[in-house]
Amino acid sequence: MENAAEGIEIRPLASCAEFIRCEDLQKEVWGFPERDIVPLAELVSTQKAGGIVAGAFDRSGAMLGFVMGFWALDEAGSVFHYSRRLGVTRSERGRGLGRLLKLYQRHFVLARGYGLVRWTYDPLEGENASLNIGKLGAEASDYLVDFYGSDPAPPNLGVPTDRFFVRWQVDSGKVALLASAPRPGAEPAGWPGTLPCVLRSRPHASGSAAVEGLDLSADGPRVTAEIPPSIRMLKASDLAEAMRWRMAFREAAQSLFSRGFRVTDFSSGEVEGRRRSLYVFSKEACGTQAFPGDEGNGSD
């Protein structure tokens, strides 16, 4: 699949050299030690077993990103696609390659007659939240505590590896709408001050944000919870504050999920001279939340 506007070809990896490049790319993107990369043997095996290992290549043939996933079963025995890893080189971020790779994965899943893709990500990582929730239409109602265990090495630096386990219903109206065109730049309905807020931020000396307050009594059809605009900046400058965010957001999300809320939206922007990032939690059924330009089409 080629996106002419971007000059990018997305296709399955086709040589040993490309699988080795995928190993190297994982180290570049996340700074992983050797033990944490998905190695060539597993990448090749995943592709052979019917999963996806695809790369985004520029016109010179350089691999700029990749997506990897395989088939899995839920507790009821239903098949879904598990998206194991998605990465884009740092120099190419901001071009929309992550979205293009995920849309390629969506086509891969739909072409095989399935409709659900799931994966995990750190809910405090705003860039990932913007892609997964805001641009792709994934939703979340499962919170995993310290999923990979605490690691003193980068990128975790000892902060527990909590994760959202998201649902991406790729055959839904909501996702089809977002796949047809990038989402309009409108802020979500829960922008600061317009909906009850469970977790609020205040300015932090690093330029990120500190935890201001946690209000678990906040309620309504939709509520919001902020995250810092850059948890990585906090990990580097104020590890104690990064840990406060982890614990406060964990408490907020677990409380909301236990009360029937699910994550349905995310946005980030400038408010009162500083960057703010927030999730919208909703009690509406999966995929029923209206989006700008959505004429009643439904859904991570």
Side-chain angles (χ1 to χ4, degrees):
M1 180 180 83
E2 181 163 355
N3 184 293
E6 298 285 347
I8 297 295
E9 180 188 18
I10 300 178
R11 59 166 175 79
L13 304 195
S15 69
C16 184
E18 290 179 353
F19 284 107
I20 291 173
R21 170 60 182 144
C22 191
E23 288 184 329
D24 293 338
L25 198 147
Q26 293 174 70
K27 299 174 189 176
E28 292 174 22
V29 171
W30 294 288
F32 282 157
E34 196 75 29
R35 71 173 185 271
D36 288 334
I37 68 168
V38 180
L40 178 148
E42 298 306 317
L43 295 168
V44 171
S45 297
T46 295
Q47 189 179 81
K48 179 63 176 176
I52 185 174
V53 186
F57 299 85
D58 66 14
R59 297 192 189 280
S60 73
M63 189 192 301
L64 307 179
F66 78 101
V67 63
M68 173 202 177
F70 46 82
W71 300 102
L73 296 175
D74 65 16
E75 293 180 354
S78 299
V79 176
F80 67 93
H81 184 79
Y82 187 87
S83 186
R84 177 64 183 90
R85 193 154 279 178
L86 169 75
V88 174
T89 57
R90 295 181 184 276
S91 63
E92 298 298 321
R93 290 180 183 174
R95 293 184 59 194
L97 295 188
R99 179 176 177 271
L100 290 178
L101 283 161
K102 294 300 291 185
L103 294 182
Y104 181 91
Q105 187 176 37
R106 174 178 182 261
H107 177 77
F108 173 89
V109 171
L110 288 172
R112 286 152 181 79
Y114 295 97
L116 179 62
V117 183
R118 304 203 71 179
W119 66 89
T120 65
Y121 81 94
D122 184 345
L124 296 185
E125 289 281 358
E127 288 185 3
N128 291 343
S130 178
L131 173 63
N132 297 334
I133 308 298
K135 296 177 182 177
L136 295 175
E139 301 189 352
S141 58
D142 295 296
Y143 193 93
L144 309 176
V145 174
D146 204 17
F147 187 53
Y148 295 113
S150 297
D151 186 344
N156 298 313
L157 298 176
V159 176
T161 54
D162 292 14
R163 296 292 185 265
F164 275 163
F165 188 24
V166 304
R167 300 177 61 88
W168 193 31
Q169 198 67 46
V170 296
D171 57 356
S172 69
K174 172 183 175 180
V175 171
L177 176 69
L178 292 171
S180 66
R183 183 178 176 183
E187 296 164 352
W191 203 240
T194 63
L195 288 176
C197 187
V198 176
L199 180 59
R200 298 179 305 280
S201 76
R202 58 179 172 79
H204 185 273
S206 69
S208 185
V211 174
E212 180 181 56
L214 183 65
D215 179 9
L216 298 181
S217 68
D219 202 4
R222 285 181 290 170
V223 301
T224 63
E226 287 194 60
I227 63 170
S230 177
I231 189 63
R232 297 187 186 190
M233 183 184 294
L234 281 177
K235 286 180 182 178
S237 65
D238 190 341
L239 194 57
E241 188 60 43
M243 185 68 78
R244 277 191 286 274
W245 270 111
R246 174 66 81 212
M247 295 301 124
F249 189 83
R250 177 192 292 179
E251 189 173 0
Q254 288 182 321
S255 174
L256 290 169
F257 289 162
S258 72
R259 289 192 279 148
F261 286 90
R262 64 188 308 111
V263 170
T264 56
D265 203 359
F266 177 85
S267 194
S268 183
E270 294 292 326
V271 177
E272 299 176 348
R274 66 185 179 97
R275 192 154 191 84
R276 308 279 290 276
S277 299
L278 62 80
Y279 286 98
V280 175
F281 290 75
S282 174
K283 284 184 179 178
E284 298 165 356
C286 179
T288 61
Q289 182 188 10
F291 276 72
D294 183 353
E295 300 299 330
N297 292 312
S299 209
D300 134 81

